[in-house]
Each structure stands twice: as structure tokens, then as C-alpha cells.
Amino acid sequence: MAIALGMPTSPPALAVPLTFAPRLKHYLWGGRRLEELFGRRLPPGVTAESWEVSGYPAEPSVVADGPLAGRELPDLVAQYGVDLLGRRGARAVESGTFPLLVKLLDASHALSVQVHPDDAWAAAHGTGESGKDEMWHILHAEPGACIVHGLRTGVDRAALRGAVAEGRVQDALNRVPVHHGDSIMVPAGTVHGILSGVVLLEVQQTSDTTYRIYDWDRLGPDGRPRELHVDRALEVIDFGHAGAAPAEPRLVEAGGGMRREVVAECGHFVVERLRAGAGAIFAANLDGESFEVWGTVAGTASLHPSRAPALGMEPARFILLPATMGPFTLQALTETVAIRVFLP
């Protein structure tokens, strides 16, 4: 949770950064590393995901503090529209959807191997949701940790169908080693899976349409194998090139004790990483183009809106800045790494 640093005031609602109570998910592949790495208070058992900023209708974020406390994010989209999302979010306003979902994942065990459709396929097949491009930013990786990203060279639709039928799916998967600080773009249509020993930040389109191809022959909580969706997966997989993994950061700005890079981008979002030395200040102005989501993944910082009290930023907690919030600065109190997300 962000910590208020300034004196209490009564600024306009959209002049205030929005903080949220995380929504925790307790899937069988989770662990307790969100507690170990970031000091999260977790309930007993395993925690697999923490949804930080969510407009997903069944699991919406609820504002934790300020003049909009207690309000759900989809309700705010309906009320404030482009003033909240920005002009780049006009289509999302029309559909009544907050377009992105930001969450943390603790993969103490491997997730299923799966694929998501793109927007065109989702619309043509009446899923009721968008497609799903996503990206992963690695916050922790144990020695030897890997992900699944795409298929091995030469694996086409017929070869993958045969591998499924013969129980050889693992032989078809492209495994990629990952390390702390890596970023991986996972376009819709890419076969993928997060394997054990990885904690990451995920930014994705607001969609939960997922087709499982393989689940490591394990049983679900009910003692039965989880459902697979092989035929649908074979329809949506892009058997072409899945793209580089990890992605090479693109430098945007350097100087003044800071380095700002684009670590992932697609037609639905841009993700930047800001590395800042202690005392460095980043300044920007939200003039109605796009909302921004900010969070620190290392070090400590404070966020200073021009029309609202300052906020201290806890590690790996994320704040939504409305598109019309106006000027703000982010000051690194220690050596800091921050993540910035916005609409392209």
C-alpha cells in the first residue's frame, strides 16, 4: 500500500493517485515468496498471484484510500471515462473495461502450458473478452530457472497434435533461461508457461481466456486432472516466430542519475523500467493522453502529484495515476528500480 506523506487535503478525485487492496489468488502452484521478497502479509497456505490493478469484472480492484475509497475500478471507468483512462483509452471506455491487468506471480511450481487468442479470434468466436497479449518482468529467478516461450523449431500444427496424442508435449516446447531483471513479451498466440522458481510482474490485457495444452500430468485440488483445451489451442497458436525472449531493452532517456528504458511494448501497452540513483527525480505531466501505472520493484521512492499529497511507494505495490492528474514527480529515496505502464 502507498503511504500518504503530505498533509490531508481535499483535492479533486482524479487529481489523486489511486491505491488498491491487492486481490490474492491461492492456486496450487503458488508459494510464499511474495512474503519473503516483499514483506507481504499473506494468509496461511500458498499464494500464487496478487492482482494489483484489475478491472476484470469478476475480480475488480477496490480503491483503498482517498476520496474514492471503496469504489471498484470498473465503476470509476463508467463514471469518469476518458478523464481516467485518457484519449488513448477511448475504445476501452466504450466497452466499459479497464484495459489492463497488473499482477504479481509466485511460481513455486510450474504453471500449465497454455496459449491465449488474439483480439480478432476472440471477437469472431464470441468469448466476450478481448484477446490477451502479456509481458513478464522477472523479479526473482532461482539458479537454472526457465520459462516456456514458443515451440521448438520445426514444430507445426500436425507435429504438436501428434506430440499431444503421444504424450510428448515436453519435447515440443522451447525452454528459455531467465534471470532477475529480464523482460519477456508474450504475444497472443504464443505457447507459454512459467516454470518453477520464478517470481514475476505480469502486465496483460484484461482477459482470462486461456487454453491449456499440457499440465504436467498433475491433479487439481479435486484429485482429478485439470481440463485441457487442445483443439481450441491448436486453432489460436501462431506457429510462426514468437519473438525474442528475453527482449532487449530500448533506451529512451539517460542522465541526471536516471536511465529509462522500454522493456516491453505492443499495440495494447508500453512498459518502461526506470533506474534511478538516490535523490534522482523523474518529472512528467498527465495531460489526458493515457493513465499510468507505477510501482517500485527495488528500493524506495515517493510520488509527488501537483494537486494532492505525496505518497511513499512500498516495494512491489502499484499505483494508478489518472490520465488527467496533471504534473507529478517521482523521487528516488534510495537506489530505485521502478516500472511504468501506459497505453501506446
Side-chain angles (χ1 to χ4, degrees):
M1 180 183 297
I3 305 167
L5 299 179
M7 294 297 291
T9 61
S10 298
L14 293 188
V16 179
L18 302 179
T19 62
F20 303 100
R23 303 190 73 102
L24 303 180
K25 306 294 178 181
H26 308 290
Y27 307 134
L28 55 84
W29 45 263
R32 300 200 62 83
R33 283 177 298 192
L34 298 182
E35 180 178 67
E36 296 165 7
L37 295 173
F38 307 119
R40 288 295 182 88
R41 294 182 180 179
L42 302 178
V46 300
T47 296
E49 297 185 2
S50 176
W51 290 22
E52 298 292 304
V53 181
S54 167
Y56 193 69
E59 299 285 352
S61 289
V62 176
V63 179
D65 301 295
L68 297 174
R71 298 285 302 278
E72 294 184 349
L73 186 50
D75 294 340
L76 300 182
V77 173
Q79 178 176 351
Y80 293 106
V82 293
D83 288 341
L84 175 63
L85 299 189
R87 290 180 286 275
R88 298 176 190 173
R91 291 184 63 184
V93 172
E94 291 174 5
S95 65
T97 303
F98 187 78
L100 302 180
L101 173 57
V102 177
K103 59 188 179 181
L104 304 171
L105 288 82
D106 173 8
S108 289
H109 304 280
L111 281 67
S112 62
V113 178
Q114 55 191 240
V115 65
H116 309 297
D118 61 18
D119 288 344
W121 194 97
H125 291 80
T127 66
E129 299 184 323
S130 69
K132 186 175 174 182
D133 284 345
E134 62 187 88
M135 69 81 63
W136 303 332
H137 184 71
I138 307 299
L139 303 178
H140 170 81
E142 295 179 1
C146 294
I147 59 167
V148 171
H149 190 270
L151 300 168
R152 289 186 175 180
T153 302
V155 176
D156 59 12
R157 183 173 282 103
L160 183 57
R161 185 182 291 278
V164 171
E166 298 168 12
R168 298 184 291 100
V169 175
Q170 293 195 49
D171 296 339
L173 305 176
N174 180 43
R175 287 176 170 80
V176 178
V178 290
H179 306 88
H180 175 267
D182 286 345
S183 296
I184 298 96
M185 190 66 213
V186 187
T190 303
V191 174
H192 62 277
I194 304 168
L195 304 184
S196 61
V198 175
V199 178
L200 58 81
L201 166 70
E202 179 173 302
V203 178
Q204 59 160 89
Q205 289 177 264
T206 298
S207 173
D208 199 34
T209 302
T210 299
Y211 301 126
R212 294 192 198 100
I213 304 166
Y214 181 62
D215 200 29
W216 311 102
D217 301 319
R218 64 186 165 196
L219 303 180
D222 60 359
R224 300 178 180 179
R226 292 199 294 172
E227 182 182 6
L228 301 180
H229 318 95
V230 174
D231 289 339
R232 278 292 170 98
L234 290 170
E235 288 184 41
V236 305
I237 292 172
D238 179 357
F239 285 91
H241 183 53
E248 187 67 28
R250 176 169 60 83
L251 180 64
V252 176
E253 176 185 7
M258 293 183 297
R259 181 180 179 87
R260 184 161 62 94
E261 303 165 310
V262 171
V263 295
E265 58 186 327
C266 64
H268 302 287
F269 54 78
V270 179
V271 181
E272 293 185 349
R273 176 175 58 196
L274 179 72
R275 299 183 186 271
I281 296 176
F282 171 80
N285 180 30
L286 293 178
D287 60 359
E289 278 298 304
S290 173
F291 68 88
E292 296 187 1
V293 175
W294 279 85
T296 55
V297 295
T300 57
S302 57
L303 187 121
H304 300 260
S306 63
R307 297 183 291 162
L311 295 176
M313 300 176 67
E314 293 184 359
R317 291 295 302 271
F318 289 80
I319 300 171
L320 172 61
L321 309 186
T324 53
M325 193 182 77
F328 72 94
T329 59
L330 184 141
Q331 181 174 13
L333 304 179
T334 65
E335 188 171 333
T336 296
V337 180
I339 298 294
R340 179 193 197 191
V341 183
F342 54 91
L343 299 180

